[in-house]
C-alpha cells in the first residue's frame, strides 16, 4: 500500500488581506502531479480542508473541484477528516454519497471506529473532537483529558483491527513532543491538556497527522505531521513545504517538497537600498520588511508597495521607545537642548548630530526672541 499524506489545506485563507486561492490551486496541481508520478493507492488529507467554519462560495467551489479532480477524474481513493478550522456538519454533508466513489470524508467521532480498507491497510479516520463528544460516545463522564480520551479511542479501534492488515490512523491534534512553530497554527486545548502522548498511538503502523504546519514539529518515524502545503504566515517563511509518500510494506516514508507559487521573503534594509535592489526580488512574491532608517519617511508603506506590491508586514529596526521615567529628576536640571538630546537618544537609539543640535538651538532661540518681544 502506498499513499500520499497531506493536511491543512486551509482553502479560502488570505495572507494579511491577499487572496491565496490561485496559489492554493497551483499547489494542489503539484500534489496531484506527485500522486500520479508516485502511483499512490490513496490520498490522505488530515484535516483543515477549509480555513474557516463558514467558507466563502469561491473556497467551496475550489475545494469541491479539487476533490472531484482527485477522486472522479484521477480515480484516487481520498481519505479525509475535519479539522478544528472546519465545520464538521457543513463539511460532512453528502459524506455517505461520496463514499460510493471512494471519497471517504469523516467528520463524526462515532464513525471513526469503522475502518476503511484499501489493499493491505485499514484506515481509521478520526476527526477533530471535543472531550464531551468522547464522554458521550463511551457513556463515561470520568474521561477528563485528551490523553484519557485517546486511550479509550485507540483501544476501541484496536478491537476492530483485522489480523494481517496494516493500520493507519488519520487524525488532527497536537501530539506530545511537538513544537508550535507558526503563528497560523492553533493549539488544541481540551480537558486542560494540549498534547496527545505518542506512546498512546503505538498500536498503529503509521499516524498521519494534521494541525501543525511544520513537518519538523514532531520527530517520530511512525507519527508524522505533513505540515501545510504552502506558507500561510511570515513565521513559516523558512519552512520547506511538501507531502509524505508512505509505503506500508516494507514501511517507508519519503518526503517530496512542494514549490511555492509565490514565496514569502524577509528583507531588512534602508528605504533607499530596498528600492535600489528591487530587481533582485520577484515582484509578485510576499514580503516581510524591516526598515533600518532612523528618520521618519512619510507614506513609506505605499511608497514601498510601488516596488513590492505584496508587503504583508512592515516594521522598523529603530522603532520609537517609551522614555524611562527614572530620568525625570535628572532632567529637571538639564538645559532644553540637553533634554532634547537625551529624549532623542532614548527614543531613536542614536545621538543628535551637530547639525541637528544647531537646528534645535536656532529654533529655541527664535522662540525665545518672540516671547521677549
Amino acid at each position: 500500500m502506498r499513499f500520499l499524506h497531506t493536511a491543512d489545506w486551509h482553502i479560502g485563507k488570505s495572507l494579511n488581506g491577499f487572496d491565496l486561492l490561485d496559489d492554493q490551486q497551483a499547489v494542489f496541481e503539484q500534489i496531484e502531479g506527485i500522486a500520479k508520478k508516485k502511483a499512490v493507492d490513496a490520498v490522505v488529507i488530515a484535516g483543515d480542508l477549509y480555513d474557516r467554519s463558514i467558507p466563502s462560495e469561491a473556497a467551496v467551489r475550489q475545494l469541491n473541484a479539487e476533490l472531484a479532480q482527485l477522486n472522479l477524474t484521477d480515480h484516487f481513493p481520498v481519505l479525509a477528516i475535519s479539522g478544528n478550522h472546519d465545520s464538521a456538519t457543513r463539511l460532512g454533508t453528502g459524506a455517505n454519497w461520496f463514499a460510493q466513489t471512494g471519497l471517504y470524508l469523516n467528520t463524526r467521532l462515532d464513525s471513526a471506529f469503522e475502518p476503511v480498507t484499501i489493499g493491505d491497510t485499514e484506515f481509521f479516520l478520526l476527526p477533530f473532537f471535543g472531550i464531551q463528544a468522547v464522554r458521550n460516545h463511551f457513556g463515561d463522564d470520568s474521561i477528563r483529558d485528551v490523553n484519557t480520551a485517546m486511550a479509550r479511542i485507540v483501544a476501541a479501534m484496536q478491537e476492530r483491527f483485522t489480523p494481517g492488515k496494516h493500520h493507519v490512523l488519520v487524525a488532527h491534534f497536537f501530539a506530545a513532543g511537538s513544537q508550535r512553530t507558526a503563528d497560523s497554527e492553533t493549539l488544541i486545548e481540551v480537558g486542560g491538556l494540549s498534547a496527545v502522548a505518542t506512546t498512546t498511538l503505538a498500536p498503529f503502523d503509521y499516524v498521519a497527522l494534521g494541525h501543525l504546519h511544520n513537518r519538523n514539529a514532531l520527530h517520530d518515524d511512525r507519527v508524522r505531521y505533513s505540515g501545510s502545503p504552502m506558507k500561510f504566515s511570515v513565521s513559516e517563511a523558512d519552512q520547506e513545504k511538501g507531502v509524505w509518500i508512505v509505503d506500508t510494506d516494507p514501511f517507508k516514508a519519503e518526503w517530496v517538497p512542494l514549490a511555492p507559487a509565490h514565496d514569502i521573503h524577509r528583507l531588512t534594509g534602508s528605504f533607499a537600498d530596498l528600492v535600489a535592489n528591487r530587481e533582485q526580488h520577484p515582484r509578485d512574491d510576499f514580503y516581510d520588511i524591516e526598515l533600518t532608517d532612523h528618520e521618519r519617511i512619510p507614506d513609506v508603506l505605499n511608497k514601498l508597495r510601488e516596488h513590492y506590491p505584496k508587503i504583508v508586514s512592515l516594521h522598523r529596526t529603530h522603532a520609537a521607545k517609551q522614555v524611562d521615567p527614572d530620568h525625570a529628576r535628572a532632567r529637571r536640571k538639564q538645559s532644553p537642548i540637553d533634554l532634547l538630546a537625551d529624549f532623542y537618544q532614548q527614543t531613536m537609539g542614536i545621538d543628535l548630530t551637530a547639525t541637528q543640535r544647531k537646528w534645535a538651538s536656532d529654533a529655541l532661540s527664535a522662540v525665545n526672541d518672540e516671547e521677549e518681544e
Side-chain angles (χ1 to χ4, degrees):
M1 176 68 190
R2 169 176 288 183
F3 61 90
L4 183 150
H5 168 200
T6 180
D8 296 283
W9 286 11
H10 289 276
I11 301 299
K13 186 175 180 61
S14 61
L15 179 57
N16 286 26
F18 293 101
D19 185 271
L20 296 177
L21 282 175
D22 288 344
D23 287 42
Q24 290 177 318
Q25 177 63 29
V27 169
F28 164 77
E29 290 171 5
Q30 289 185 61
I31 293 173
E32 180 192 20
I34 292 169
K36 290 179 177 180
K37 182 178 179 180
K38 295 294 184 179
V40 301
D41 301 303
V43 175
V44 168
I45 311 173
D48 280 355
L49 283 75
Y50 287 118
D51 185 58
R52 58 185 62 187
S53 59
I54 305 179
S56 67
E57 292 183 9
V60 172
R61 284 194 300 270
Q62 182 154 317
L63 179 62
N64 286 347
E66 291 172 354
L67 293 177
Q69 180 67 30
L70 287 174
N71 184 235
L72 299 180
T73 303
D74 300 333
H75 303 293
F76 290 117
V78 176
L79 304 106
I81 59 171
S82 52
N84 57 303
H85 278 252
D86 300 309
S87 165
T89 301
R90 291 183 177 89
L91 185 62
T93 300
N96 291 335
W97 305 335
F98 301 156
Q100 304 304 311
T101 65
L103 171 53
Y104 303 98
L105 176 57
N106 187 31
T107 63
R108 299 174 60 247
L109 175 65
D110 292 349
S111 301
F113 304 94
E114 183 66 37
V116 176
T117 303
I118 302 176
D120 67 355
T121 304
E122 291 181 331
F123 291 87
F124 290 82
L125 307 182
L126 177 63
F128 174 78
F129 62 87
I131 293 296
Q132 189 58 51
V134 183
R135 293 187 189 119
N136 293 345
H137 178 81
F138 291 107
D140 185 356
D141 288 338
S142 69
I143 297 173
R144 297 292 181 184
D145 59 65
V146 70
N147 277 290
T148 305
M150 276 305 301
R152 291 293 296 273
I153 289 170
V154 171
M157 289 177 173
Q158 278 187 276
E159 294 177 359
R160 305 302 300 272
F161 281 11
T162 300
K165 295 284 189 182
H166 296 286
H167 305 100
V168 172
L169 175 65
V170 182
H172 191 91
F173 51 63
F174 186 61
S178 305
Q179 296 180 350
R180 182 170 179 262
T181 55
D183 296 337
S184 55
E185 296 159 6
T186 306
L187 281 174
I188 298 174
E189 300 285 352
V190 266
L193 293 177
S194 61
V196 174
T198 53
T199 52
T200 305
L201 310 173
F204 293 95
D205 295 288
Y206 183 81
V207 180
L209 287 177
H211 183 51
L212 298 187
H213 291 185
N214 185 356
R215 68 176 175 112
N216 292 314
L218 179 66
H219 296 282
D220 189 298
D221 285 345
R222 303 279 179 146
V223 183
R224 297 176 184 263
Y225 288 101
S226 68
S228 58
M230 60 179 289
K231 302 172 184 181
F232 289 128
S233 74
V234 171
S235 61
E236 298 178 34
D238 298 328
Q239 294 178 14
E240 182 182 66
K241 300 299 184 177
V243 299
W244 289 109
I245 301 297
V246 181
D247 290 296
T248 58
D249 190 13
F251 176 79
K252 178 185 176 184
E254 176 192 0
W255 177 252
V256 182
L258 294 167
H262 297 100
D263 211 344
I264 300 177
H265 307 273
R266 291 189 176 104
L267 300 181
T268 300
S270 68
F271 177 83
D273 288 343
L274 290 168
V275 171
N277 297 328
R278 62 189 181 277
E279 299 299 333
Q280 299 177 15
H281 307 289
R283 178 176 174 82
D284 291 333
D285 279 4
F286 298 101
Y287 291 92
D288 167 77
I289 292 180
E290 181 176 333
L291 275 179
T292 59
D293 300 270
H294 289 278
E295 68 274 12
R296 180 179 178 274
I297 303 173
D299 201 25
V300 66
L301 177 58
N302 286 328
K303 288 179 179 177
L304 281 171
R305 277 188 168 155
E306 293 177 9
H307 311 284
Y308 304 91
K310 295 182 178 178
I311 297 175
V312 297
S313 57
L314 176 66
H315 43 101
R316 287 179 172 270
T317 303
H318 307 289
K321 303 175 183 177
Q322 186 174 357
V323 175
D324 186 350
D326 292 341
H327 291 286
R329 291 190 182 90
R331 284 182 180 150
R332 293 171 187 166
K333 300 178 182 180
Q334 290 180 311
S335 68
I337 294 298
D338 288 338
L339 282 171
L340 174 62
D342 185 50
F343 175 81
Y344 188 84
Q345 200 284 329
Q346 286 196 54
T347 55
M348 300 303 295
I350 57 174
D351 295 329
L352 283 173
T353 65
T355 301
Q356 289 172 323
R357 290 184 72 94
K358 184 178 185 304
W359 289 341
S361 180
D362 292 345
L364 182 61
S365 296
V367 170
N368 288 334
D369 291 343
E370 289 179 4
E371 289 180 350
E372 290 176 0
E373 292 176 0

